[in-house]
Amino acid sequence: MVLDEGVLSRPIGGPDVMRKQLERLLETTRAPHITVQICPLGANPGLSGGIVIAKAPNGTRSTVYLETAAEPLVTSHAEVVEVVTMKLDAIRADALPQRVSVEFIRKMVGKWT
């Protein structure tokens, strides 16, 4: 999972809710199959909305889910999947490594305490 840095400081629900959400996020990072990275503030291809790529168990087909201002888009169209995958790879490449991201989230918990 890649999260934009802005979501860690956007006050939704007040300080107690934010602190608890970030603490829960930290708990998830302990699972060996979950990676959480923070994308620093600034322009990136993910600013237009959320991106999810689902792959079939046999790996033969992928489907993308894109959040847009108008309405969500779900498609398995190969060219769209390829472009979205490249954009998500670029976002991940610019994101902080997991260890640095976890430390950043810990600091943000302190902000909300």
Side-chain angles (χ1 to χ4, degrees), residues 3-110:
L3 295 173
D4 187 78
E5 178 182 338
V7 303
L8 304 179
S9 58
R10 188 170 298 118
I12 305 294
D16 190 50
V17 170
M18 290 297 295
R19 188 186 79 258
K20 287 178 182 176
Q21 288 180 358
L22 294 178
E23 287 171 345
R24 177 66 182 119
L25 183 59
L26 285 173
E27 287 176 27
T28 66
T29 65
R30 294 186 196 118
H33 62 287
I34 296 176
T35 302
V36 176
Q37 292 177 267
I38 303 302
C39 190
L41 293 176
N44 70 65
L47 292 178
S48 60
I51 300 169
V52 176
I53 301 174
K55 295 185 181 191
N58 61 9
T60 59
R61 182 176 171 163
S62 293
T63 301
V64 297
Y65 167 83
L66 303 171
E67 291 181 355
T68 70
E71 62 182 56
L73 169 69
V74 179
T75 184
S76 296
H77 194 280
E79 284 100 15
V80 175
V81 171
E82 183 179 356
V83 168
V84 171
T85 299
M86 288 188 318
K87 287 185 178 192
L88 187 55
D89 287 345
I91 294 167
R92 282 190 194 122
D94 286 340
L96 302 174
Q98 165 118 347
R99 185 173 48 247
V100 177
S101 294
V102 168
E103 186 55 37
F104 187 86
I105 296 167
R106 281 191 186 111
K107 288 180 183 176
M108 294 304 291
V109 167

